[in-house]
C-alpha cells in the first residue's frame, strides 16, 4: 500500500485568505487526485493532478479557486483561494496503487474551517 | 454520470449483531471499493471488489456486477466498527464516484 501524508492536518482560517495543502506519497505515482468532503457529506472529486501539465478539473471546480501544482511524481499541492465559510471541508488527496489491484489509497485529510 | 446509491443511510446496532449494507450503481464499472471512515476522518480501504466475494475477518463483501449492486456484511459487530461506510465506483482513469454513505453506530 502507498503511504500518504498531508500537511496541515487541520487549520482555521479567515475568509478572504488562501491555504495551501501539501500531499506527499512515499513512492512515485502517475496519478494523484484531490477530493473535498463537505460537513456531513460524501466525497467529491475536485481535480486530477498531472505531473508536467495543468491539472484537470471536474465540473463545478475551477483553477482560479483551486490551483494545483504537481512538481514531481511524489508530491502535489492544492490551494484553496479567497476562502469563504462554504469552503469549510475535509480535503483529501488520493493515489491508485501503481501495480496490481487498482485499489485507491487516501491521505489522512486536511480539516479546514473558514470563519 | 454514474449514480451510486447506498442504503440504509443510518444503522444502529447492538454490539454482537450482524448487518448488511447495500450499494447500487447505475452503470457498469471497472472497479468498486468499500471504505470505512473513522471518527477522525481517515478513509480506510476495506475491499477492492469489482465482482465476486471477499472476506476479511468479520467483514465480507459481494459484488454482482451484472445486476449492479454490492453488499457489505458486518458480523458480530463491535463498537470499533462505528463510522461511515462508503461505496465508491471507478468511472474512468481511477476517478471515483462515492455514494452518500451509511453511518453505522454500534452500541455496547
Amino acid at each position: 500500500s502507498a503511504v500518504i501524508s498531508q500537511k496541515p492536518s487541520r487549520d482555521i482560517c479567515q475568509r478572504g485568505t488562501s491555504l495551501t495543502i501539501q500531499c506527499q506519497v512515499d513512492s512515485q505515482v502517475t496519478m494523484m487526485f484531490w477530493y473535498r468532503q463537505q460537513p456531513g457529506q460524501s466525497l467529491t472529486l475536485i481535480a486530477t493532478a498531472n505531473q508536467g501539465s495543468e491539472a484537470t478539473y471536474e465540473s463545478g471546480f475551477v483553477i482560479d479557486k483551486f490551483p494545483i501544482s504537481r512538481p514531481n511524481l511524489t508530491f502535489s499541492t492544492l490551494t484553496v483561494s479567497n476562502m469563504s465559510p462554504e469552503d469549510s471541508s475535509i480535503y483529501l488527496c488520493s493515489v491508485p496503487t501503481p501495480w496490481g489491484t487498482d485499489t485507491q489509497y487516501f491521505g489522512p485529510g486536511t480539516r479546514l474551517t473558514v470563519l | 454520470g454514474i449514480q451510486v446509491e447506498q442504503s440504509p443511510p443510518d444503522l444502529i446496532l447492538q454490539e454482537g449483531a450482524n448487518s448488511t449494507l447495500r450499494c447500487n450503481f447505475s452503470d457498469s464499472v471497472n472497479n468498486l471499493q468499500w471504505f470505512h471512515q473513522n471518527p477522525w476522518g481517515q478513509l480506510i480501504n476495506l475491499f477492492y471488489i469489482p465482482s465476486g466475494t471477499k472476506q476479511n475477518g468479520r467483514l465480507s463483501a459481494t459484488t454482482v456486477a451484472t445486476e449492479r449492486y454490492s453488499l457489505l456484511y458486518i458480523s458480530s459487530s463491535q463498537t470499533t466498527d462505528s463510522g461511515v461506510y462508503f461505496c465508491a465506483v471507478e468511472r474512468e482513469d481511477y476517478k471515483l464516484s462515492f455514494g452518500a454513505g451509511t453511518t453505522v453506530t454500534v452500541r455496547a
Side-chain angles (χ1 to χ4, degrees):
Chain A
S1 64
V3 176
I4 307 170
S5 60
Q6 286 187 232
K7 290 182 181 180
S9 58
R10 58 177 62 230
D11 207 342
I12 301 173
C13 301
Q14 296 298 319
R15 69 170 66 210
T17 63
S18 298
L19 177 72
T20 295
I21 302 167
Q22 300 178 6
C23 177
Q24 179 75 53
V25 187
D26 68 342
S27 58
Q28 293 187 340
V29 291
T30 304
M31 308 184 81
M32 295 178 73
F33 301 95
W34 287 98
Y35 287 80
R36 179 178 72 179
Q37 186 179 24
Q38 294 177 299
Q41 303 297 312
S42 186
L43 283 79
T44 301
L45 179 64
I46 298 172
T48 305
N50 302 307
Q51 198 271 330
S53 63
E54 280 196 0
T56 306
Y57 291 84
E58 298 298 304
S59 176
F61 298 95
V62 295
I63 187 171
D64 289 346
K65 178 66 176 178
F66 297 102
I68 288 171
S69 77
R70 180 85 193 273
N72 57 54
L73 292 177
T74 64
F75 185 80
S76 178
T77 67
L78 169 76
T79 298
V80 186
S81 303
N82 189 24
M83 289 184 286
S84 66
E86 291 70 35
D87 294 319
S88 297
S89 298
I90 300 174
Y91 292 87
L92 303 99
C93 64
S94 78
V95 300
T97 52
W99 59 88
T101 65
D102 294 329
T103 302
Q104 282 219 32
Y105 291 91
F106 283 78
T110 296
R111 191 178 295 268
L112 171 63
T113 301
V114 184
L115 302 177
Chain B
I2 190 167
Q3 304 298 313
V4 184
E5 296 181 352
Q6 291 186 243
S7 60
D10 299 281
L11 194 57
I12 299 175
L13 301 170
Q14 201 64 34
E15 200 169 31
N18 303 328
S19 64
T20 301
L21 284 60
R22 187 178 180 101
C23 173
N24 293 332
F25 44 96
S26 61
D27 204 348
S28 58
V29 297
N30 297 327
N31 174 13
L32 185 145
Q33 288 185 239
W34 283 96
F35 295 90
H36 176 218
Q37 188 170 41
N38 64 25
W40 298 270
Q42 176 74 56
L43 271 176
I44 300 166
N45 289 281
L46 297 177
F47 294 102
Y48 161 79
I49 186 164
S51 63
T53 297
K54 291 186 178 180
Q55 181 155 7
N56 185 2
R58 296 179 297 101
L59 300 180
S60 64
T62 295
T63 297
V64 183
T66 53
E67 297 185 23
R68 299 178 185 168
Y69 73 89
S70 183
L71 302 174
L72 178 69
Y73 305 96
I74 305 174
S75 64
S76 304
S77 58
Q78 301 177 357
T79 55
T80 52
D81 295 330
S82 296
V84 184
Y85 289 80
F86 287 105
C87 163
V89 300
E90 180 185 323
R91 297 180 279 145
E92 57 177 338
D93 293 338
Y94 302 106
K95 298 178 181 179
L96 296 179
S97 290
F98 282 78
T102 294
T103 300
V104 173
T105 303
V106 181
R107 293 179 173 166

